[in-house]
Amino acid sequence: MLSGKRVVLGVTGSIACYKALDLASKLTQAGALVDTIMTRGATQFVTPLAFRSLTHRPVVTDAFDADSEYAVEHVELARQAEVIVVAPATVHTIAKLAMGMADDPLTTTVVASRAPLMVAPAMDADMFEHPATQENLGRLRQRGAVIAGPGQGRLASGLTGWGRLLETPELLGYIAHTLGRNGDLSGRTVVVSAGGTAEPIDPVRVITNHSSGKMGYAVAEAARDRGARVVLVSAAKGLPNPPLVEVVPVSTAQQMCDAVLARTEEADALIMAAAVADYRPLTTADQKIKKSDDDLSIQLAKTVDILATARGDFVRVGFAAESENLVANAAAKVTSKSLDLIAANDITSEGSGFGTDTNRVTLIDRDMNVEELPLLTKYEVGNRILDRVARLFRD
Ligand code: PMT
C-alpha cells in the first residue's frame, strides 16, 4: 500500500517527536518516499539530521533555504505529495491549519496541496480538551482531514489522559486508510470474519483450532485501505484491533453466526476467513469436569454453517483450509455453500495456512475458473481477493 507513495511528514514541536522518527523509519521501510518538514519547535526536540538519516531524503526546516533542491519548496512538495501526515501535531499547528494560515514551510505546504491530510494530535490532556482545540479539529475534519487519535495514557507532564501520539502501527493504519479513502471499494461495506472459534466444554476447556486470525485481519486492512467500511467479526485472541476497522469480538460459532447475520444486513460483501468449528460439545458443563480413572467421551453437535445461512444481496467469499485434494474439496464448497468465490488454502504448503504472515491460495469462482496464486503476504492475498470482489461489484 505504501510502496512508492510520496508522503510529506510534518513534524511539529512536541516531545512526541521521538516517535515521529520511528514513523519515518517504518514508512521508508515500507517503500514510501518520505519528505520531512520540521517546524522550528520540532528542531528543538530532534534534529533534521535524524530524519535525513532515516529517510535518505532532504529535510525542510526553512521556507527561504537558498540551498534547497526545490525551486519553490512548498509548491513542489505540495504538488508531489500523495498524502500529508502531521505527526505529532501540536495545538498551535492544529489551530494554524484550521485557520488556513501559512506562516511556515509545513502550513504553507498544506495550504498549497490538494493531497489528503492526516493529523495526529499530541498534547497535554487539558490542551486537547480545550474547546478551541476541539473546534479546530472539528473544522479540519469537516474539511476532509483524517484525525488520528490522540490515544489515552500517561502524558509527558506526568498526568494521565487523552493526548498521547498514537503508536507507529496505528499511525501506519491511518495513513494507509487516508491514502486509499477514495479507492475502488469506497462507499462499500465489507464484513470479514477471522480467527478460530472456541466451543466450551466446561468453564476451563474449549474445542478450538490453530487459526491466529492473521488472514482475516489482513483482508480487513486491505479492504479498509481501498476505501471500504469494514466490520471485522473476530474470534482471534491477542491481535491488536486494526485502526478504523469496527471489530466485533466473538468466541463461539453461534456468536459468530449471530454477529455475521446482523452485520450483513448492511453489507456489500462477506468474506469468511475464520476457521469455524463444525462441531461443538452438545452440552457445556457448569463446573470444571474432574479427572477420573475412566476415559471421557464428549458428544458433539453440528454447529450452524454461517456461510450457507448468510444469504442476501451481497458478494459471498469463503476460504477452505485443506490438507488434501485442494481444488476438488474447495470447489465442492463453492457449490454446497453457493459462493461467488473461494480461496482454497493448502495448509500443507511451506509458509501457508495457520499463523504465518504469508499464504498460498487458489481462487475458484462460481463458474469453476481456477486461479493459482503464488506465495504472497496475507495482505496481498487479501488484495487479490478484493480485486475479484471489486470486479463482481462492477459486473
Ligand atoms: O487465521 P490464520 O492463522 O491466518 O489462518 C488462516 C486460515 C488457514 C484459517 C484461513 O486462510 C482459512 O483457510 N480459513 C477457513 C478455514 C476453514 O475452516 O475452512 P472450512 O473448509 O472448514 O470452511 C469453509 C468456509 O465455510 C470458510 O469460509 C468458513 O469460514 C466457513 N464456515 C465453516 C464452518 C461453519 N460452521 N460455518 C462457516 O461459515
PDB file of all heavy atoms in Angstrom, residues 193 195 210-215 272-278 303-307 318-322 333 337 345 347 353-356 359 378, ligand 1:
ATOM      1  N   SER A 193     -14.728 -12.172   8.536  1.00  0.00           N
ATOM      2  CA  SER A 193     -14.605 -12.947   9.777  1.00  0.00           C
ATOM      3  C   SER A 193     -13.175 -13.449   9.903  1.00  0.00           C
ATOM      4  O   SER A 193     -12.498 -13.668   8.900  1.00  0.00           O
ATOM      5  CB  SER A 193     -15.596 -14.112   9.800  1.00  0.00           C
ATOM      6  OG  SER A 193     -15.169 -15.114   8.900  1.00  0.00           O
ATOM      7  N   GLY A 195     -10.166 -15.634  12.687  1.00  0.00           N
ATOM      8  CA  GLY A 195      -9.825 -16.368  13.911  1.00  0.00           C
ATOM      9  C   GLY A 195     -10.516 -17.713  13.998  1.00  0.00           C
ATOM     10  O   GLY A 195     -11.362 -18.070  13.161  1.00  0.00           O
ATOM     11  N   HIS A 210      -6.155 -23.969  15.062  1.00  0.00           N
ATOM     12  CA  HIS A 210      -4.902 -23.204  15.055  1.00  0.00           C
ATOM     13  C   HIS A 210      -5.004 -21.812  14.410  1.00  0.00           C
ATOM     14  O   HIS A 210      -3.980 -21.147  14.246  1.00  0.00           O
ATOM     15  CB  HIS A 210      -3.815 -23.986  14.314  1.00  0.00           C
ATOM     16  CG  HIS A 210      -3.432 -25.261  14.999  1.00  0.00           C
ATOM     17  ND1 HIS A 210      -2.949 -25.283  16.292  1.00  0.00           N
ATOM     18  CD2 HIS A 210      -3.471 -26.542  14.591  1.00  0.00           C
ATOM     19  CE1 HIS A 210      -2.701 -26.529  16.641  1.00  0.00           C
ATOM     20  NE2 HIS A 210      -3.010 -27.321  15.630  1.00  0.00           N
ATOM     21  N   SER A 211      -6.186 -21.376  14.023  1.00  0.00           N
ATOM     22  CA  SER A 211      -6.273 -20.076  13.335  1.00  0.00           C
ATOM     23  C   SER A 211      -5.840 -18.933  14.264  1.00  0.00           C
ATOM     24  O   SER A 211      -6.362 -18.798  15.377  1.00  0.00           O
ATOM     25  CB  SER A 211      -7.700 -19.826  12.857  1.00  0.00           C
ATOM     26  OG  SER A 211      -7.813 -18.509  12.369  1.00  0.00           O
ATOM     27  N   SER A 212      -4.924 -18.103  13.756  1.00  0.00           N
ATOM     28  CA  SER A 212      -4.455 -16.953  14.550  1.00  0.00           C
ATOM     29  C   SER A 212      -5.310 -15.716  14.304  1.00  0.00           C
ATOM     30  O   SER A 212      -5.285 -14.769  15.090  1.00  0.00           O
ATOM     31  CB  SER A 212      -3.009 -16.622  14.138  1.00  0.00           C
ATOM     32  OG  SER A 212      -2.992 -16.236  12.763  1.00  0.00           O
ATOM     33  N   GLY A 213      -5.999 -15.708  13.164  1.00  0.00           N
ATOM     34  CA  GLY A 213      -6.769 -14.517  12.766  1.00  0.00           C
ATOM     35  C   GLY A 213      -6.021 -13.647  11.772  1.00  0.00           C
ATOM     36  O   GLY A 213      -6.597 -12.713  11.204  1.00  0.00           O
ATOM     37  N   LYS A 214      -4.738 -13.947  11.521  1.00  0.00           N
ATOM     38  CA  LYS A 214      -3.931 -13.049  10.671  1.00  0.00           C
ATOM     39  C   LYS A 214      -4.525 -12.876   9.272  1.00  0.00           C
ATOM     40  O   LYS A 214      -4.506 -11.789   8.709  1.00  0.00           O
ATOM     41  CB  LYS A 214      -2.502 -13.585  10.549  1.00  0.00           C
ATOM     42  CG  LYS A 214      -1.658 -13.356  11.787  1.00  0.00           C
ATOM     43  CD  LYS A 214      -0.242 -13.852  11.559  1.00  0.00           C
ATOM     44  CE  LYS A 214       0.629 -13.629  12.789  1.00  0.00           C
ATOM     45  NZ  LYS A 214       1.983 -14.146  12.610  1.00  0.00           N
ATOM     46  N   MET A 215      -5.044 -13.978   8.696  1.00  0.00           N
ATOM     47  CA  MET A 215      -5.582 -13.885   7.329  1.00  0.00           C
ATOM     48  C   MET A 215      -6.776 -12.932   7.293  1.00  0.00           C
ATOM     49  O   MET A 215      -6.836 -12.029   6.458  1.00  0.00           O
ATOM     50  CB  MET A 215      -5.962 -15.285   6.845  1.00  0.00           C
ATOM     51  CG  MET A 215      -6.367 -15.355   5.388  1.00  0.00           C
ATOM     52  SD  MET A 215      -5.047 -14.916   4.240  1.00  0.00           S
ATOM     53  CE  MET A 215      -5.693 -13.425   3.538  1.00  0.00           C
ATOM     54  N   MET A 272     -15.426 -14.753   4.578  1.00  0.00           N
ATOM     55  CA  MET A 272     -15.280 -15.599   5.777  1.00  0.00           C
ATOM     56  C   MET A 272     -13.901 -16.256   5.776  1.00  0.00           C
ATOM     57  O   MET A 272     -13.701 -17.311   5.186  1.00  0.00           O
ATOM     58  CB  MET A 272     -16.362 -16.686   5.791  1.00  0.00           C
ATOM     59  CG  MET A 272     -17.777 -16.198   6.071  1.00  0.00           C
ATOM     60  SD  MET A 272     -18.142 -15.858   7.806  1.00  0.00           S
ATOM     61  CE  MET A 272     -17.867 -17.425   8.577  1.00  0.00           C
ATOM     62  N   ALA A 273     -12.957 -15.620   6.462  1.00  0.00           N
ATOM     63  CA  ALA A 273     -11.617 -16.209   6.592  1.00  0.00           C
ATOM     64  C   ALA A 273     -11.499 -17.001   7.893  1.00  0.00           C
ATOM     65  O   ALA A 273     -10.482 -17.653   8.136  1.00  0.00           O
ATOM     66  CB  ALA A 273     -10.568 -15.110   6.560  1.00  0.00           C
ATOM     67  N   ALA A 274     -12.522 -16.921   8.728  1.00  0.00           N
ATOM     68  CA  ALA A 274     -12.471 -17.601  10.031  1.00  0.00           C
ATOM     69  C   ALA A 274     -12.479 -19.112   9.869  1.00  0.00           C
ATOM     70  O   ALA A 274     -13.063 -19.640   8.923  1.00  0.00           O
ATOM     71  CB  ALA A 274     -13.667 -17.177  10.883  1.00  0.00           C
ATOM     72  N   ALA A 275     -11.829 -19.780  10.798  1.00  0.00           N
ATOM     73  CA  ALA A 275     -11.918 -21.238  10.886  1.00  0.00           C
ATOM     74  C   ALA A 275     -12.991 -21.523  11.934  1.00  0.00           C
ATOM     75  O   ALA A 275     -12.759 -21.387  13.143  1.00  0.00           O
ATOM     76  CB  ALA A 275     -10.578 -21.824  11.286  1.00  0.00           C
ATOM     77  N   VAL A 276     -14.168 -21.857  11.428  1.00  0.00           N
ATOM     78  CA  VAL A 276     -15.333 -22.025  12.315  1.00  0.00           C
ATOM     79  C   VAL A 276     -15.462 -23.501  12.685  1.00  0.00           C
ATOM     80  O   VAL A 276     -15.371 -24.365  11.804  1.00  0.00           O
ATOM     81  CB  VAL A 276     -16.626 -21.565  11.593  1.00  0.00           C
ATOM     82  CG1 VAL A 276     -17.826 -21.618  12.542  1.00  0.00           C
ATOM     83  CG2 VAL A 276     -16.457 -20.162  11.021  1.00  0.00           C
ATOM     84  N   ALA A 277     -15.697 -23.765  13.961  1.00  0.00           N
ATOM     85  CA  ALA A 277     -15.870 -25.157  14.394  1.00  0.00           C
ATOM     86  C   ALA A 277     -17.073 -25.766  13.690  1.00  0.00           C
ATOM     87  O   ALA A 277     -18.130 -25.136  13.594  1.00  0.00           O
ATOM     88  CB  ALA A 277     -16.090 -25.198  15.901  1.00  0.00           C
ATOM     89  N   ASP A 278     -16.901 -26.976  13.177  1.00  0.00           N
ATOM     90  CA  ASP A 278     -18.027 -27.678  12.556  1.00  0.00           C
ATOM     91  C   ASP A 278     -18.857 -28.393  13.622  1.00  0.00           C
ATOM     92  O   ASP A 278     -20.022 -28.720  13.391  1.00  0.00           O
ATOM     93  CB  ASP A 278     -17.524 -28.688  11.526  1.00  0.00           C
ATOM     94  CG  ASP A 278     -16.959 -27.974  10.302  1.00  0.00           C
ATOM     95  OD1 ASP A 278     -17.533 -26.940   9.914  1.00  0.00           O
ATOM     96  OD2 ASP A 278     -15.933 -28.430   9.767  1.00  0.00           O
ATOM     97  N   THR A 303     -22.497 -27.515  14.351  1.00  0.00           N
ATOM     98  CA  THR A 303     -22.725 -26.070  14.506  1.00  0.00           C
ATOM     99  C   THR A 303     -23.470 -25.584  13.269  1.00  0.00           C
ATOM    100  O   THR A 303     -23.559 -26.296  12.266  1.00  0.00           O
ATOM    101  CB  THR A 303     -21.389 -25.308  14.595  1.00  0.00           C
ATOM    102  OG1 THR A 303     -20.625 -25.629  13.438  1.00  0.00           O
ATOM    103  CG2 THR A 303     -20.625 -25.666  15.851  1.00  0.00           C
ATOM    104  N   VAL A 304     -23.911 -24.349  13.340  1.00  0.00           N
ATOM    105  CA  VAL A 304     -24.582 -23.745  12.189  1.00  0.00           C
ATOM    106  C   VAL A 304     -23.522 -23.434  11.118  1.00  0.00           C
ATOM    107  O   VAL A 304     -22.399 -23.043  11.447  1.00  0.00           O
ATOM    108  CB  VAL A 304     -25.330 -22.463  12.638  1.00  0.00           C
ATOM    109  CG1 VAL A 304     -24.389 -21.469  13.300  1.00  0.00           C
ATOM    110  CG2 VAL A 304     -26.061 -21.817  11.498  1.00  0.00           C
ATOM    111  N   ASP A 305     -23.848 -23.648   9.851  1.00  0.00           N
ATOM    112  CA  ASP A 305     -22.942 -23.240   8.766  1.00  0.00           C
ATOM    113  C   ASP A 305     -23.242 -21.783   8.434  1.00  0.00           C
ATOM    114  O   ASP A 305     -24.281 -21.461   7.842  1.00  0.00           O
ATOM    115  CB  ASP A 305     -23.132 -24.143   7.540  1.00  0.00           C
ATOM    116  CG  ASP A 305     -22.039 -23.886   6.515  1.00  0.00           C
ATOM    117  OD1 ASP A 305     -21.719 -22.705   6.273  1.00  0.00           O
ATOM    118  OD2 ASP A 305     -21.488 -24.856   5.970  1.00  0.00           O
ATOM    119  N   ILE A 306     -22.336 -20.918   8.840  1.00  0.00           N
ATOM    120  CA  ILE A 306     -22.606 -19.471   8.750  1.00  0.00           C
ATOM    121  C   ILE A 306     -22.728 -19.032   7.287  1.00  0.00           C
ATOM    122  O   ILE A 306     -23.667 -18.333   6.904  1.00  0.00           O
ATOM    123  CB  ILE A 306     -21.494 -18.665   9.461  1.00  0.00           C
ATOM    124  CG1 ILE A 306     -21.353 -19.133  10.912  1.00  0.00           C
ATOM    125  CG2 ILE A 306     -21.779 -17.174   9.385  1.00  0.00           C
ATOM    126  CD1 ILE A 306     -20.135 -18.593  11.641  1.00  0.00           C
ATOM    127  N   LEU A 307     -21.753 -19.464   6.480  1.00  0.00           N
ATOM    128  CA  LEU A 307     -21.759 -19.038   5.072  1.00  0.00           C
ATOM    129  C   LEU A 307     -23.008 -19.526   4.346  1.00  0.00           C
ATOM    130  O   LEU A 307     -23.580 -18.807   3.533  1.00  0.00           O
ATOM    131  CB  LEU A 307     -20.535 -19.606   4.367  1.00  0.00           C
ATOM    132  CG  LEU A 307     -19.371 -18.639   4.099  1.00  0.00           C
ATOM    133  CD1 LEU A 307     -18.256 -19.350   3.360  1.00  0.00           C
ATOM    134  CD2 LEU A 307     -19.814 -17.411   3.333  1.00  0.00           C
ATOM    135  N   GLY A 318     -15.709 -17.423   0.536  1.00  0.00           N
ATOM    136  CA  GLY A 318     -15.281 -18.328   1.599  1.00  0.00           C
ATOM    137  C   GLY A 318     -13.802 -18.647   1.478  1.00  0.00           C
ATOM    138  O   GLY A 318     -13.151 -18.317   0.475  1.00  0.00           O
ATOM    139  N   PHE A 319     -13.273 -19.249   2.500  1.00  0.00           N
ATOM    140  CA  PHE A 319     -11.932 -19.828   2.481  1.00  0.00           C
ATOM    141  C   PHE A 319     -12.111 -21.330   2.705  1.00  0.00           C
ATOM    142  O   PHE A 319     -13.094 -21.751   3.321  1.00  0.00           O
ATOM    143  CB  PHE A 319     -11.068 -19.261   3.616  1.00  0.00           C
ATOM    144  CG  PHE A 319     -10.343 -17.998   3.259  1.00  0.00           C
ATOM    145  CD1 PHE A 319     -11.024 -16.801   3.178  1.00  0.00           C
ATOM    146  CD2 PHE A 319      -8.971 -18.004   3.026  1.00  0.00           C
ATOM    147  CE1 PHE A 319     -10.358 -15.628   2.866  1.00  0.00           C
ATOM    148  CE2 PHE A 319      -8.291 -16.838   2.713  1.00  0.00           C
ATOM    149  CZ  PHE A 319      -8.983 -15.643   2.625  1.00  0.00           C
ATOM    150  N   ALA A 320     -11.174 -22.115   2.243  1.00  0.00           N
ATOM    151  CA  ALA A 320     -11.219 -23.548   2.532  1.00  0.00           C
ATOM    152  C   ALA A 320      -9.815 -23.994   2.918  1.00  0.00           C
ATOM    153  O   ALA A 320      -8.899 -23.936   2.093  1.00  0.00           O
ATOM    154  CB  ALA A 320     -11.712 -24.320   1.324  1.00  0.00           C
ATOM    155  N   ALA A 321      -9.654 -24.365   4.162  1.00  0.00           N
ATOM    156  CA  ALA A 321      -8.357 -24.877   4.615  1.00  0.00           C
ATOM    157  C   ALA A 321      -8.346 -26.373   4.337  1.00  0.00           C
ATOM    158  O   ALA A 321      -9.113 -27.117   4.938  1.00  0.00           O
ATOM    159  CB  ALA A 321      -8.187 -24.604   6.106  1.00  0.00           C
ATOM    160  N   GLU A 322      -7.481 -26.798   3.422  1.00  0.00           N
ATOM    161  CA  GLU A 322      -7.487 -28.198   3.004  1.00  0.00           C
ATOM    162  C   GLU A 322      -6.096 -28.806   3.174  1.00  0.00           C
ATOM    163  O   GLU A 322      -5.081 -28.138   2.955  1.00  0.00           O
ATOM    164  CB  GLU A 322      -7.896 -28.312   1.526  1.00  0.00           C
ATOM    165  CG  GLU A 322      -9.257 -27.709   1.201  1.00  0.00           C
ATOM    166  CD  GLU A 322     -10.425 -28.455   1.841  1.00  0.00           C
ATOM    167  OE1 GLU A 322     -10.234 -29.610   2.277  1.00  0.00           O
ATOM    168  OE2 GLU A 322     -11.525 -27.874   1.928  1.00  0.00           O
ATOM    169  N   LYS A 333     -17.221 -26.886  -2.062  1.00  0.00           N
ATOM    170  CA  LYS A 333     -17.787 -25.918  -1.103  1.00  0.00           C
ATOM    171  C   LYS A 333     -18.390 -24.705  -1.820  1.00  0.00           C
ATOM    172  O   LYS A 333     -19.337 -24.105  -1.324  1.00  0.00           O
ATOM    173  CB  LYS A 333     -16.712 -25.474  -0.106  1.00  0.00           C
ATOM    174  CG  LYS A 333     -16.369 -26.592   0.875  1.00  0.00           C
ATOM    175  CD  LYS A 333     -15.222 -26.260   1.801  1.00  0.00           C
ATOM    176  CE  LYS A 333     -14.870 -27.502   2.617  1.00  0.00           C
ATOM    177  NZ  LYS A 333     -13.668 -27.363   3.405  1.00  0.00           N
ATOM    178  N   LYS A 337     -22.121 -24.249  -0.650  1.00  0.00           N
ATOM    179  CA  LYS A 337     -22.431 -23.027   0.114  1.00  0.00           C
ATOM    180  C   LYS A 337     -22.885 -21.902  -0.818  1.00  0.00           C
ATOM    181  O   LYS A 337     -23.045 -20.756  -0.375  1.00  0.00           O
ATOM    182  CB  LYS A 337     -21.207 -22.601   0.922  1.00  0.00           C
ATOM    183  CG  LYS A 337     -20.797 -23.650   1.975  1.00  0.00           C
ATOM    184  CD  LYS A 337     -19.577 -23.222   2.778  1.00  0.00           C
ATOM    185  CE  LYS A 337     -19.041 -24.373   3.617  1.00  0.00           C
ATOM    186  NZ  LYS A 337     -19.019 -24.089   5.046  1.00  0.00           N
ATOM    187  N   ASN A 345      -7.043 -23.003   0.472  1.00  0.00           N
ATOM    188  CA  ASN A 345      -5.824 -22.754   1.234  1.00  0.00           C
ATOM    189  C   ASN A 345      -5.118 -24.082   1.529  1.00  0.00           C
ATOM    190  O   ASN A 345      -5.615 -24.882   2.317  1.00  0.00           O
ATOM    191  CB  ASN A 345      -6.261 -22.091   2.546  1.00  0.00           C
ATOM    192  CG  ASN A 345      -5.158 -21.312   3.216  1.00  0.00           C
ATOM    193  OD1 ASN A 345      -5.431 -20.494   4.069  1.00  0.00           O
ATOM    194  ND2 ASN A 345      -3.925 -21.549   2.832  1.00  0.00           N
ATOM    195  N   ILE A 347      -2.921 -25.977   3.441  1.00  0.00           N
ATOM    196  CA  ILE A 347      -2.259 -25.765   4.737  1.00  0.00           C
ATOM    197  C   ILE A 347      -1.014 -26.650   4.900  1.00  0.00           C
ATOM    198  O   ILE A 347      -0.302 -26.527   5.897  1.00  0.00           O
ATOM    199  CB  ILE A 347      -3.232 -25.989   5.929  1.00  0.00           C
ATOM    200  CG1 ILE A 347      -3.895 -27.370   5.852  1.00  0.00           C
ATOM    201  CG2 ILE A 347      -4.254 -24.884   6.014  1.00  0.00           C
ATOM    202  CD1 ILE A 347      -4.591 -27.778   7.131  1.00  0.00           C
ATOM    203  N   GLY A 353      -1.060 -21.025   5.389  1.00  0.00           N
ATOM    204  CA  GLY A 353      -2.040 -21.535   6.340  1.00  0.00           C
ATOM    205  C   GLY A 353      -2.010 -20.846   7.689  1.00  0.00           C
ATOM    206  O   GLY A 353      -1.889 -19.618   7.775  1.00  0.00           O
ATOM    207  N   PHE A 354      -2.086 -21.636   8.740  1.00  0.00           N
ATOM    208  CA  PHE A 354      -2.262 -21.108  10.101  1.00  0.00           C
ATOM    209  C   PHE A 354      -1.025 -20.356  10.624  1.00  0.00           C
ATOM    210  O   PHE A 354       0.085 -20.872  10.548  1.00  0.00           O
ATOM    211  CB  PHE A 354      -2.573 -22.246  11.072  1.00  0.00           C
ATOM    212  CG  PHE A 354      -3.839 -22.988  10.762  1.00  0.00           C
ATOM    213  CD1 PHE A 354      -3.805 -24.311  10.335  1.00  0.00           C
ATOM    214  CD2 PHE A 354      -5.069 -22.366  10.886  1.00  0.00           C
ATOM    215  CE1 PHE A 354      -4.979 -24.999  10.051  1.00  0.00           C
ATOM    216  CE2 PHE A 354      -6.260 -23.040  10.600  1.00  0.00           C
ATOM    217  CZ  PHE A 354      -6.211 -24.352  10.175  1.00  0.00           C
ATOM    218  N   GLY A 355      -1.257 -19.183  11.167  1.00  0.00           N
ATOM    219  CA  GLY A 355      -0.243 -18.485  11.957  1.00  0.00           C
ATOM    220  C   GLY A 355       0.856 -17.788  11.179  1.00  0.00           C
ATOM    221  O   GLY A 355       1.613 -17.002  11.742  1.00  0.00           O
ATOM    222  N   THR A 356       0.967 -18.032   9.876  1.00  0.00           N
ATOM    223  CA  THR A 356       2.046 -17.438   9.081  1.00  0.00           C
ATOM    224  C   THR A 356       1.663 -16.020   8.650  1.00  0.00           C
ATOM    225  O   THR A 356       0.492 -15.637   8.687  1.00  0.00           O
ATOM    226  CB  THR A 356       2.288 -18.277   7.811  1.00  0.00           C
ATOM    227  OG1 THR A 356       1.020 -18.434   7.161  1.00  0.00           O
ATOM    228  CG2 THR A 356       2.849 -19.652   8.134  1.00  0.00           C
ATOM    229  N   ASN A 359       0.717 -16.584   2.664  1.00  0.00           N
ATOM    230  CA  ASN A 359      -0.263 -17.622   2.362  1.00  0.00           C
ATOM    231  C   ASN A 359      -0.216 -17.961   0.879  1.00  0.00           C
ATOM    232  O   ASN A 359       0.148 -17.115   0.054  1.00  0.00           O
ATOM    233  CB  ASN A 359      -1.680 -17.149   2.745  1.00  0.00           C
ATOM    234  CG  ASN A 359      -2.561 -18.294   3.196  1.00  0.00           C
ATOM    235  OD1 ASN A 359      -2.138 -19.460   3.173  1.00  0.00           O
ATOM    236  ND2 ASN A 359      -3.778 -17.989   3.591  1.00  0.00           N
ATOM    237  N   LYS A 378      -0.192 -12.139   3.490  1.00  0.00           N
ATOM    238  CA  LYS A 378      -1.640 -12.273   3.670  1.00  0.00           C
ATOM    239  C   LYS A 378      -2.369 -10.992   3.239  1.00  0.00           C
ATOM    240  O   LYS A 378      -3.482 -11.038   2.727  1.00  0.00           O
ATOM    241  CB  LYS A 378      -1.957 -12.683   5.118  1.00  0.00           C
ATOM    242  CG  LYS A 378      -1.633 -14.163   5.345  1.00  0.00           C
ATOM    243  CD  LYS A 378      -2.021 -14.715   6.689  1.00  0.00           C
ATOM    244  CE  LYS A 378      -1.837 -16.247   6.665  1.00  0.00           C
ATOM    245  NZ  LYS A 378      -1.929 -16.885   7.969  1.00  0.00           N
TER     246      LYS A 378
HETATM  247  O1  PMT B   1      -6.039 -17.245  10.875  1.00  0.00           O
HETATM  248  P1  PMT B   1      -4.714 -17.646  10.241  1.00  0.00           P
HETATM  249  O2  PMT B   1      -3.744 -18.226  11.248  1.00  0.00           O
HETATM  250  O3  PMT B   1      -4.129 -16.524   9.440  1.00  0.00           O
HETATM  251  O4  PMT B   1      -5.013 -18.841   9.218  1.00  0.00           O
HETATM  252  C1  PMT B   1      -5.761 -18.596   8.072  1.00  0.00           C
HETATM  253  C2  PMT B   1      -6.744 -19.740   7.766  1.00  0.00           C
HETATM  254  C3  PMT B   1      -5.979 -21.004   7.406  1.00  0.00           C
HETATM  255  C4  PMT B   1      -7.645 -20.025   8.966  1.00  0.00           C
HETATM  256  C5  PMT B   1      -7.638 -19.254   6.574  1.00  0.00           C
HETATM  257  O5  PMT B   1      -6.823 -18.947   5.477  1.00  0.00           O
HETATM  258  C6  PMT B   1      -8.662 -20.281   6.142  1.00  0.00           C
HETATM  259  O6  PMT B   1      -8.408 -21.148   5.352  1.00  0.00           O
HETATM  260  N1  PMT B   1      -9.899 -20.162   6.703  1.00  0.00           N
HETATM  261  C7  PMT B   1     -11.015 -21.119   6.503  1.00  0.00           C
HETATM  262  C8  PMT B   1     -10.764 -22.344   7.314  1.00  0.00           C
HETATM  263  C9  PMT B   1     -11.907 -23.280   7.326  1.00  0.00           C
HETATM  264  O7  PMT B   1     -12.432 -23.511   8.350  1.00  0.00           O
HETATM  265  O8  PMT B   1     -12.317 -23.772   6.196  1.00  0.00           O
HETATM  266  P2  PMT B   1     -13.596 -24.779   6.077  1.00  0.00           P
HETATM  267  O9  PMT B   1     -13.282 -25.563   4.885  1.00  0.00           O
HETATM  268  O10 PMT B   1     -13.839 -25.529   7.340  1.00  0.00           O
HETATM  269  O11 PMT B   1     -14.829 -23.848   5.843  1.00  0.00           O
HETATM  270  C10 PMT B   1     -15.169 -23.342   4.549  1.00  0.00           C
HETATM  271  C11 PMT B   1     -15.779 -21.971   4.695  1.00  0.00           C
HETATM  272  O12 PMT B   1     -17.013 -22.065   5.410  1.00  0.00           O
HETATM  273  C12 PMT B   1     -14.911 -20.984   5.463  1.00  0.00           C
HETATM  274  O13 PMT B   1     -15.013 -19.743   4.813  1.00  0.00           O
HETATM  275  C13 PMT B   1     -15.533 -20.955   6.841  1.00  0.00           C
HETATM  276  O14 PMT B   1     -15.358 -19.694   7.444  1.00  0.00           O
HETATM  277  C14 PMT B   1     -16.997 -21.229   6.548  1.00  0.00           C
HETATM  278  N2  PMT B   1     -17.702 -21.949   7.626  1.00  0.00           N
HETATM  279  C15 PMT B   1     -17.242 -23.128   8.106  1.00  0.00           C
HETATM  280  C16 PMT B   1     -17.927 -23.778   9.086  1.00  0.00           C
HETATM  281  C17 PMT B   1     -19.108 -23.224   9.584  1.00  0.00           C
HETATM  282  N3  PMT B   1     -19.783 -23.798  10.558  1.00  0.00           N
HETATM  283  N4  PMT B   1     -19.553 -22.063   9.081  1.00  0.00           N
HETATM  284  C18 PMT B   1     -18.892 -21.441   8.102  1.00  0.00           C
HETATM  285  O15 PMT B   1     -19.312 -20.373   7.643  1.00  0.00           O
END
